[in-house]
Amino acid sequence: MSLIWISGALIFSFYRERHAKLDFNKYKWPKISILVPCYNEEDTIEETIKYLSRLSYPEFEIIAVNDGSKDNTGNILVSLADKYSMLRVIDCHENRGKANALHMAAHASTSEYLLCIDSDAILDDKAPYYLIKHFLEKGERVGAVTGNPRIRNRDTLLGKMQLVEYSSIIGSIKRTQRIMGKVMTVSGVIVAFRKKALFDVGLWDRDMITEDIAVSWKLQKRFWDIRYEPQALCWMLVPETLVGIWKQRVRWSQGGQEVVLRHWDIFTDWRQRRLWPIYIEQVLSILWAFAWFLCTLYLILTATSFGEIMIWFTFTSFALVLLSHIQLIISLRNDSRYDNTIKYYLWAAWYPALYWMINTLIVIAATPKAIMSRIKGGYATWSSPDRGKRSNQ
């Protein structure tokens, strides 16, 4: 898969990222609704709304939903509504999950195009233009356009490793999948939807823990197109503790596995064949994680000396680490045109050595959670996220 991602990222970069600058006077820009679901975001929500209110986009509204926060988020939003005329607030008293909050915001919206961002995110001023351009240029079948999340807090080792990951892993995968024509998921932190497409598929699934992955599959199964726009930047905060990263990634992995369990029926419909490679890759990634863990455990338990273990790790890991670094340097170079990521390459050494193994264990930990969630059903609520420490960068 690494070879495929390297090839796909290079093809996308060569053919689709060598475009001229956007002529902002070329289009008559339609009104957009910016949806901001919130849960326990008293430390970040005021900053997010302040930056949104300053966007140069000609006509927009902001709809913020307080989803039963236990802190002061609701009161802050109400006070901000008096300050910013474009802000409307929906204040819910019970936590029913991000998908449910987006449901209410979508119904309250007054425009055909919905731009969803996280409540800790700072949206780049030009991002709405780059996202909406796809709906205006590429036809009525464009259902969603996902943007390019960038990391704000990059002053810790874990922050730097996640910056490398977002550029080299997530960025490469999205570029490659877009070349293939289907994507595993939009980025929940920044994505624009055609409202007609969302209502066509019944909006977001309230019982799926990752609403962004779930709605991506619903849209594509109904033959709506999803595009990736690397110039649409959004600056976000990421966890800076191992516990925070573990909880976040288990949630992501669980969401991917829930999609696998729900949408296996694509193989019964020939029209869905373009989704098959994405589905198969996801399943093989899960099986590979279990195989790697079991083989490693077996070799450790059967080794006759510590030296034997180290020899095995050294020689069998060499190809993987080498390929990983080739992918990292190419992908960081791709993203360096939007963000100075290439200078973080030296921190990439930690990725295959430590971070990659943690992610493998995360897949294993998420599997029983995904199975139980499909059995139990109900609303997929969210908990207070780990946003790390805010950075001035």
Side-chain angles (χ1 to χ4, degrees):
M1 288 311 303
S2 185
L3 288 171
I4 293 174
W5 293 333
I6 290 170
S7 303
L10 288 172
I11 293 170
F12 186 97
S13 179
F14 184 80
Y15 285 104
R16 302 193 181 183
E17 294 185 80
R18 300 175 63 190
H19 30 240
K21 289 186 177 181
L22 178 62
D23 181 2
F24 295 100
N25 298 317
K26 179 181 178 181
Y27 306 95
K28 182 179 179 181
W29 298 102
K31 180 181 179 180
I32 62 173
S33 299
I34 303 176
L35 313 187
V36 189
C38 312
Y39 180 70
N40 291 350
E41 297 288 0
E42 63 179 6
D43 293 332
T44 60
I45 189 57
E46 185 170 0
E47 181 184 34
T48 297
I49 298 298
K50 179 182 73 173
Y51 277 91
L52 287 176
S53 70
R54 297 175 179 176
L55 290 174
S56 66
Y57 195 87
E59 188 179 5
F60 65 94
E61 64 178 353
I62 305 169
I63 303 176
V65 182
N66 173 40
D67 189 42
S69 296
K70 298 176 182 176
D71 61 5
N72 201 37
T73 300
N75 293 331
I76 293 174
L77 283 173
V78 171
S79 65
L80 290 174
D82 294 330
K83 184 177 180 181
Y84 302 109
S85 60
M86 74 286 291
L87 174 63
R88 298 158 60 199
V89 175
I90 300 174
D91 193 10
C92 304
H93 297 285
E94 185 176 354
N95 177 9
R96 287 300 184 92
K98 185 178 180 181
N100 191 65
L102 289 169
H103 263 260
M104 291 185 289
H107 282 288
S109 64
T110 60
S111 65
E112 173 60 15
Y113 303 105
L114 311 180
L115 201 167
C116 305
I117 72 166
D118 282 351
S119 48
D120 69 315
I122 302 299
L123 192 64
D124 184 80
D125 185 67
K126 305 305 180 187
Y129 298 100
Y130 285 116
L131 293 171
I132 299 302
K133 177 193 70 168
H134 286 266
F135 296 109
L136 304 180
E137 285 187 346
K138 304 302 181 181
E140 285 291 316
R141 293 311 300 174
V142 177
V145 185
T146 184
N148 188 359
R150 313 308 307 154
I151 291 175
R152 294 164 62 191
N153 49 334
R154 50 182 71 179
D155 53 346
T156 65
L157 173 59
L158 289 177
K160 289 179 173 68
M161 283 198 295
Q162 289 175 88
L163 184 147
V164 170
E165 178 195 30
Y166 271 79
S167 293
S168 63
I169 308 300
I170 297 175
S172 289
I173 290 174
K174 277 192 167 49
R175 285 175 170 87
T176 302
Q177 290 178 347
R178 182 54 224 160
I179 289 293
M180 296 169 65
K182 301 292 182 181
V183 300
M184 176 65 188
T185 178
V186 298
S187 295
V189 67
I190 173 173
V191 56
F193 294 100
R194 188 187 301 273
K195 186 158 66 173
K196 181 171 66 176
L198 281 174
F199 278 93
D200 178 58
V201 300
L203 299 175
W204 297 268
D205 288 330
R206 293 182 175 99
D207 62 338
M208 301 285 272
I209 197 168
T210 50
E211 83 297 329
D212 47 1
I213 304 177
V215 78
S216 302
W217 280 76
K218 289 174 68 175
L219 286 169
Q220 292 175 121
K221 285 180 73 175
R222 289 283 294 169
F223 308 107
W224 291 99
D225 192 21
I226 295 178
R227 295 185 166 268
Y228 172 57
E229 178 48 71
Q231 296 184 92
L233 306 180
C234 187
W235 304 88
M236 65 179 188
L237 298 170
V238 295
E240 292 182 324
T241 65
L242 286 175
V243 172
I245 290 176
W246 179 271
K247 290 180 178 179
Q248 180 194 63
R249 300 315 170 88
V250 167
R251 177 176 170 273
W252 289 1
S253 181
Q254 179 183 338
Q257 294 180 45
E258 286 179 0
V259 163
V260 166
L261 293 172
R262 172 163 291 185
H263 294 291
W264 60 268
D265 60 337
I266 62 172
F267 293 101
T268 65
D269 186 350
W270 175 250
R271 296 174 301 168
Q272 305 290 348
R273 61 191 180 277
R274 293 179 68 190
L275 279 170
W276 294 356
I278 308 299
Y279 188 101
I280 292 170
E281 189 275 329
Q282 184 72 8
V283 171
L284 290 178
S285 295
I286 296 168
L287 295 176
W288 185 88
F290 277 93
W292 179 88
F293 176 77
L294 292 174
C295 287
T296 301
L297 185 63
Y298 171 78
L299 288 165
I300 290 174
L301 293 176
T302 57
T304 57
S305 66
F306 179 74
E308 185 178 342
I309 295 175
M310 292 307 298
I311 290 173
W312 177 78
F313 269 108
T314 300
F315 285 98
T316 59
S317 300
F318 176 77
L320 184 64
V321 172
L322 176 63
L323 207 56
S324 172
H325 277 275
I326 294 172
Q327 179 179 332
L328 292 175
I329 192 66
I330 291 174
S331 303
L332 287 173
R333 179 65 183 85
N334 282 340
D335 266 358
S336 65
R337 68 189 69 183
Y338 314 114
D339 179 16
N340 188 16
T341 55
I342 198 71
K343 69 179 183 180
Y344 293 96
Y345 174 70
L346 292 179
W347 297 97
W350 288 94
Y351 191 87
L354 171 65
Y355 202 56
W356 170 80
M357 286 188 282
I358 293 174
N359 280 338
T360 304
L361 297 176
I362 282 170
V363 172
I364 297 170
T367 301
K369 291 178 177 288
I371 295 171
M372 290 306 299
S373 70
R374 294 300 88 221
I375 295 173
K376 292 181 178 179
Y379 283 92
T381 58
W382 47 358
S383 57
S384 298
D386 178 357
R387 299 300 192 197
K389 295 178 294 184
R390 285 205 251 183
S391 171
N392 293 324
Q393 292 183 319

